[in-house]
Amino acid sequence: CSAIDACETGNGGCSAKAECRRTTPGHRVCICNAGYTGDGIVCIEINPCLENNGGCDRNAECTQTGPNQAVCNCLKGYSGDGKRCTYISLCSQNNGGCSEFAICNDTELTERTCTCKDNYTGDGFKCRGNIFQELLRDSNTSRFYFHLETLSIRDVAGPGPFTLFVPRTDVLNSDPRVKDWIAKGVLAQVLRYHMVGCASLLYNDLTTITNITSLHGDPIHISYSQNSLVLNNNAEIILSDAVGTNGVIHVINQILVP
């Protein structure tokens, strides 16, 4: 007589995910393979994520990749190896995308608010100071700023409100009359002719009026046709509504002459 091998056929009736081990003649035991659990007859794949989040950080997602195998990935808004995840402050990098003149506040995961600092106005992503400061920050208006500084004209640094019509930098640089006005000492009068006091007039406001008085004292004629605003039948507004804390800047393509 020979001993019967209980594991010889059909894995001894054990699960395909189990090992059949002979014990005594005609008997065997079924042991689930690594990564599986059960009585050997039935073996179920172990999902490590079901217990203690698979050893992942509480701010990580556990994803099963195989029998008793998983990977950990930090949730959005966190960084790390998945076993340890730390909160990423949106405001810690590049001020959270807010303006340099804004305060960034983390509110909740992947969210933050941007609020303009005192003495600045805007939506937090773009914040402007007074229009005197803003002239310098824009290459289209910086030449006008330098002329004001050179002549110590600080009117538009006051509380306002003001409306400024600023000839674009390249226009001021190329117009030969500017050197003439400097030599004759009249450039200050020309510059003040581009300023309007006691009103912050947006583009839409300007379409409804025909004349305004400048700080120089002379009137500026306004006409609106073919979707364009033209001053003194000569200078067109090409950029508009740069709003500061004390007024608004419009860029024009010609110099206004009183």
Side-chain angles (χ1 to χ4, degrees), residues 14-161:
C14 301
S15 165
K17 303 296 184 183
E19 179 188 358
C20 179
R21 292 182 186 175
R22 291 172 59 191
T23 52
T24 57
H27 295 84
R28 54 89 177 105
V29 291
C30 299
I31 301 170
C32 291
N33 295 337
Y36 292 84
T37 185
D39 61 6
I41 306 298
V42 176
C43 294
I44 299 171
E45 191 172 286
I46 297 171
N47 182 353
C49 297
L50 298 178
E51 186 175 343
N52 195 30
N53 200 29
C56 303
D57 189 274
R58 64 189 180 92
N59 293 307
E61 181 181 27
C62 179
T63 304
Q64 184 184 6
T65 57
N68 205 25
Q69 295 176 324
V71 293
C72 303
N73 294 298
C74 293
L75 298 174
K76 189 175 181 182
Y78 291 85
S79 67
D81 61 5
K83 297 290 185 182
R84 182 178 174 82
C85 300
T86 53
Y87 174 64
I88 302 170
S89 167
L90 291 179
C91 295
S92 66
Q93 300 176 352
N94 194 32
N95 200 30
C98 304
S99 163
E100 62 179 305
F101 305 113
I103 297 168
C104 179
N105 283 308
D106 288 293
T107 52
E108 54 185 87
L109 292 183
T110 71
E111 297 293 333
R112 52 88 180 90
T113 59
C114 302
T115 308
C116 292
K117 295 177 181 177
D118 290 344
N119 300 318
Y120 288 87
T121 185
D123 60 6
F125 297 98
K126 189 162 190 176
C127 298
R128 292 191 177 96
N130 68 49
I131 54 176
F132 188 67
Q133 296 170 310
E134 293 307 312
L135 287 171
L136 180 60
R137 296 194 184 108
D138 187 338
S139 61
N140 284 311
T141 58
S142 57
R143 191 64 185 165
F144 192 83
Y145 170 88
F146 288 122
H147 282 308
L148 294 181
E149 272 286 83
T150 301
L151 296 169
S152 298
I153 299 173
R154 309 278 304 189
D155 307 60
V156 292

Side-chain angles (χ1 to χ4, degrees), residues 165 167 175 177-178 181 186-187 189-194 214 216 218-221 231-232 234-235 252 254-258:
F165 301 106
D175 194 317
R177 295 174 298 174
V178 174
W181 293 329
V186 298
L187 182 60
Q189 297 171 46
V190 174
L191 296 180
R192 282 200 171 93
Y193 185 52
H194 293 77
S214 69
H216 173 261
D218 285 353
I220 300 170
H221 176 69
L231 310 180
N232 291 349
N234 181 39
I252 55 179
Q254 296 292 333
I255 299 174
L256 301 177
V257 182

